[in-house]
Amino acid sequence: MQRRIFLTFAGLILASVLLLAMAFVLLSYHAMRNNEQTAIRDKTHLIASMFNQYPTLDHRTINSGGSRFTLIAPDGLARFDNHRDADLTINRSNREEFVQALQFGTGQAIRPSETLGADTFYYAVRLNNGDVLRLSRTLHSLGAGFRVTLPALVVVFLIILAIAYGVAHRLTRAIIKPITHIDLEQIHSHDESPLPPYEELWPFIQKITHQRIQLTHQLTTLYHRAETIDTLIANMREGLIILDGKGQILAANKSAAHLFGMKKKCDLINWHIQHIHRDPTFASHVKKCLEGTFTEIDFTRKDKHYNAFFSPVAQNDNNGAILFFLDTTQHYKAQQQRREFTANVSHELKTPLTTIAATAEMITNGMAQPQDVPAFARKITEQTTRLMHIINDIIRLSEFDESKVERDFAPFDLYALAQSTIAALQPQATEKSIAITLSGASLFINANARLIEELLSNLIENGIKYNKDGGEVAVGITEENGCCIIAVTDTGIGIAKGHRRRVFERFYRVDASRSKKTGGTGLGLAIVKHIAEHHGGSVKIDSTVDVGTVVVCRLPGCVRREKD
Ligand code: ADP
């Protein structure tokens, strides 16, 4: 803009100067020609008056001042001509100036000169004797006039050029400066905004300011949106990878990087997806997706299970794909556990049922001797009790699975509950000559008393069941950092290290025959774990084979009772 204004100004000044110069040259030229003609006219009249006064005057003595001097008789033939090459035989009666002079006393004409290419001015005066006196002279041409003034013109032109440059430059700056100094920020932030330098610019500035505010808002919104999406994608537990049309990774999140064994998400960028996971099935799904088909597969990588979704993306001429990885490890394991659990349940139920059915059949068919019937009946009762235990434990576990176990928390004395549980199990302990001791003191806990009793019962019963005859079971009730600690220690057979981790699994038994013999269902510790977790607590087991086992339950919700 600045350049345009400058050029316009400079152009205008130059054009004006050129026009002025041309007008000056033309006017000077005309003035010069008029002066030359007037001089010839004056000279002709002077010489004519001399001839009229002295008719016998010798024309050779006449000083014509450099002009051509011709004396023409009324018939048109020249009597005298001071021009060196003049042809006196030529009849000049048809010359315009001659005709006018004969008729009106004076006459004039301008004719182009044949030799010089310039105009010749002719002026004629009729003398008293009837002859015509004519003076003629070649007039300065325009070019000649221009040549005279050219040096001065060039100097003036250069001076004007310099002035035009300076003026145009200053004017341009004077116009542009206020515009470039407009502070839109200030105009926007002040209620009383400073007026713009040119009133005409006000609507324009208002529009720009308005658009600027809109743009800022839009940019801020876009920035926040992008940030939100980035944060969401970055912190998503699910893996996300964006591929270009060739299968090259354009973007990926942290979870995807971890899934494919990379430390950072940028480690995946620009890799081809097939180099990241070399699996033919996976590769064929990527290919299908890049061809525009949505597909889905389950795949396993490093002990983890994923559901992978391949969504094609097509925008304008660009195609690509979004790969979404959902970690289904837990779901997969839960399903596997459920399958195992169902198989185990069927097996566990089938064994006592088969015994019951066979025994009952023997009695019914009369195959059992009358003296054996009481023993058979006891067997049926034993197996029925076992069935009842298994079914009760399964029901309890399914309640935990379905989160149907009531909270029903209320404060009660844990120590007193341990006392009553031990008392209930005392006959079982006496049978194996096992001594049960209880240490600690009255300690209140806010919990579900029925479930805690079940927990205590399971742990103490295990201490008895897996103990040696004459062994010991020690129950300790203590408090630690607001948690109630239940520790059940026995001097039993212990659990080998490899089994320790698995004893909380459903139906897991270190020695199945021993467990069954002692009426175990293999579900006791699984129920203990659920009860502890139901109270926000935890359970740990430590054991040494042939020395004994200690199970420690940590339950939050210890309540201090003010003494009555
Ligand atoms: P069970 O009904 O068979 O006792 P549990 O779930 O209570 O089922 O225990 C699982 C297995 O852990 C038992 O079969 C047993 O092998 C082992 N176990 C549990 N408690 C003890 C313990 N105190 N001493 C040794 N082994 C134990």
Side-chain angles (χ1 to χ4, degrees):
M1 182 184 172
Q2 193 167 351
R3 200 177 137 79
R4 269 183 74 173
I5 294 176
F6 171 77
L7 288 176
T8 310
F9 271 127
L12 266 173
I13 294 171
L14 273 177
S16 317
V17 170
L18 279 174
L19 275 172
L20 265 172
M22 275 168 64
F24 171 75
V25 169
L26 280 174
L27 286 172
S28 313
Y29 171 67
H30 275 287
M32 197 168 69
R33 272 170 78 109
N34 280 341
N35 283 343
E36 282 177 327
Q37 287 174 23
T38 310
I40 291 170
R41 271 189 218 104
D42 292 347
K43 192 89 185 166
T44 314
H45 280 290
L46 181 71
I47 296 171
S49 67
M50 282 169 65
F51 271 115
N52 283 337
Q53 217 171 341
Y54 309 103
T56 55
L57 193 69
D58 184 0
H59 5 337
R60 277 172 300 218
T61 61
I62 299 298
N63 177 11
S64 63
S67 302
R68 184 176 173 183
F69 161 51
T70 315
L71 196 63
I72 307 166
D75 59 359
L77 283 172
R79 290 186 201 284
F80 173 78
D81 196 320
N82 69 347
H83 196 268
R84 222 183 312 134
D85 306 322
D87 183 359
L88 297 180
T89 60
I90 294 170
N91 191 315
R92 292 174 174 82
S93 59
N94 61 344
R95 299 285 198 271
E96 196 185 344
E97 69 281 1
F98 176 77
V99 176
Q100 286 174 13
L102 280 185
Q103 204 175 343
F104 307 112
T106 59
Q108 66 177 44
I110 295 174
R111 282 193 294 280
S113 163
E114 284 163 17
T115 48
L116 296 167
D119 288 342
T120 306
F121 179 66
Y122 297 88
Y123 191 76
V125 173
R126 183 165 36 82
L127 299 179
N128 291 344
N129 61 2
D131 287 351
V132 171
L133 170 73
R134 187 185 79 174
L135 251 66
S136 65
R137 189 178 193 142
T138 305
L139 295 173
H140 278 100
S141 67
L142 183 62
F146 189 66
R147 264 195 300 281
V148 174
T149 51
L150 188 64
L153 270 177
V154 169
V155 173
V156 171
F157 181 77
L158 287 175
I159 291 169
I160 288 176
L161 194 70
I163 292 170
Y165 178 85
V167 170
H169 191 69
R170 281 187 73 115
L171 272 175
T172 309
R173 276 185 54 178
I175 291 170
I176 293 294
K177 199 176 164 188
I179 298 174
T180 52
H181 280 67
I182 293 172
D183 187 352
L184 289 174
E185 202 74 56
Q186 202 188 12
I187 288 178
H188 172 52
S189 60
H190 287 75
D191 283 343
E192 281 183 25
S193 338
L195 279 174
Y198 306 109
E199 219 174 286
E200 296 79 2
L201 285 179
W202 190 228
F204 177 66
I205 287 172
Q206 273 181 323
K207 205 168 176 176
I208 290 181
T209 313
H210 183 66
Q211 283 179 349
R212 221 173 127 259
I213 296 167
Q214 272 187 332
L215 266 178
T216 314
H217 280 313
Q218 282 170 355
L219 276 175
T220 315
T221 315
L222 276 178
Y223 176 76
H224 285 313
R225 261 189 218 164
E227 211 175 34
T228 313
I229 292 170
D230 275 357
T231 316
L232 276 176
I233 291 175
N235 293 304
M236 242 161 65
R237 282 186 57 226
E238 293 76 21
L240 187 98
I241 290 180
I242 300 172
L243 301 181
D244 69 5
K246 291 174 189 152
Q248 204 145 349
I249 299 173
L250 293 177
N253 69 354
K254 224 168 23 187
S255 303
H258 288 163
L259 195 164
F260 291 106
M262 305 283 181
K263 278 188 185 152
K264 286 179 267 165
K265 60 180 180 178
C266 53
D267 292 343
L268 281 177
I269 311 293
N270 289 335
W271 278 84
H272 197 282
I273 188 71
Q274 280 174 20
H275 296 146
I276 297 294
H277 187 62
R278 294 172 193 273
D279 173 59
T281 319
F282 186 84
S284 77
H285 280 270
V286 170
K287 193 169 171 270
K288 263 192 226 164
C289 178
L290 289 174
E291 284 163 5
T293 315
F294 173 85
T295 62
E296 184 186 338
I297 49 162
D298 289 336
F299 84 103
T300 310
R301 198 182 153 96
K302 289 186 183 161
D303 293 340
K304 288 205 143 205
H305 298 268
Y306 298 94
N307 239 4
F309 301 90
F310 301 78
S311 307
V313 180
Q315 204 174 36
N316 305 326
D317 287 342
N318 302 322
N319 65 330
I322 293 178
L323 312 190
F324 187 77
F325 302 93
L326 194 66
D327 188 343
T328 53
T329 312
Q330 274 193 342
H331 178 70
Y332 180 84
K333 281 189 178 161
Q335 260 188 338
Q336 204 177 24
Q337 273 175 3
R338 257 198 297 277
R339 274 195 298 272
E340 281 172 16
F341 183 66
T342 314
N344 280 330
V345 166
S346 318
H347 178 75
E348 293 295 329
L349 294 180
K350 212 173 152 190
T351 316
L353 273 174
T354 314
T355 313
I356 293 167
T359 316
E361 204 178 319
M362 280 171 78
I363 296 169
T364 317
N365 292 345
M367 284 167 74
Q369 298 297 315
Q371 67 271 20
D372 293 332
V373 171
F376 282 3
R378 260 200 313 277
K379 206 167 192 176
I380 291 174
T381 315
E382 243 173 51
Q383 292 302 321
T384 312
T385 314
R386 185 172 161 69
L387 261 181
M388 290 299 289
H389 276 148
I390 295 174
I391 290 168
N392 280 339
D393 283 353
I394 291 170
I395 291 172
R396 174 56 34 84
L397 281 170
S398 71
E399 279 173 357
F400 279 113
D401 287 344
E402 304 289 320
S403 307
K404 278 186 184 161
V405 178
E406 71 288 1
R407 245 177 96 78
D408 221 0
F409 281 15
F412 62 88
D413 189 350
L414 184 60
Y415 188 80
L417 186 73
Q419 270 178 327
S420 62
T421 313
I422 291 168
L425 292 167
Q426 199 55 56
Q428 230 175 295
T430 315
E431 216 175 283
K432 282 185 80 180
S433 314
I434 289 168
I436 308 178
T437 55
L438 174 65
S439 62
S442 172
L443 186 67
F444 278 79
I445 183 170
N446 188 33
N448 182 321
R450 195 181 56 77
L451 292 178
I452 300 298
E453 187 189 2
E454 199 172 335
L455 178 145
L456 279 165
S457 178
N458 271 331
L459 293 181
I460 300 167
E461 204 180 344
N462 278 354
I464 300 168
K465 277 194 302 187
Y466 303 106
N467 217 324
K468 298 159 195 161
D469 284 353
E472 279 172 31
V473 175
V475 182
I477 304 291
T478 49
E479 191 225 324
E480 200 181 287
N481 302 329
C483 286
C484 294
I485 312 291
I486 303 169
V488 179
T489 314
D490 66 57
T491 54
I493 56 169
I495 306 165
K497 204 176 175 190
H499 295 287
R500 231 174 282 156
R501 207 166 35 93
R502 302 197 59 191
V503 289
F504 292 101
E505 287 176 19
R506 296 170 187 192
F507 294 114
Y508 189 84
R509 297 163 177 119
V510 177
D511 179 352
S513 59
R514 182 177 183 137
S515 168
K516 279 179 190 168
K517 233 183 273 165
T518 52
T521 61
L523 297 171
L525 285 181
I527 293 173
V528 166
K529 193 167 180 240
H530 272 293
I531 295 174
E533 284 171 359
H534 183 70
H535 287 82
S538 60
V539 56
K540 272 204 295 195
I541 196 159
D542 198 8
S543 183
T544 310
V545 178
D546 286 336
V547 175
T549 304
V550 54
V551 185
V552 179
C553 273
R554 178 179 287 269
L555 301 170
C558 220
V559 189
R560 286 193 180 279
R561 273 280 167 106
E562 294 299 321
K563 283 206 171 144
D564 293 334

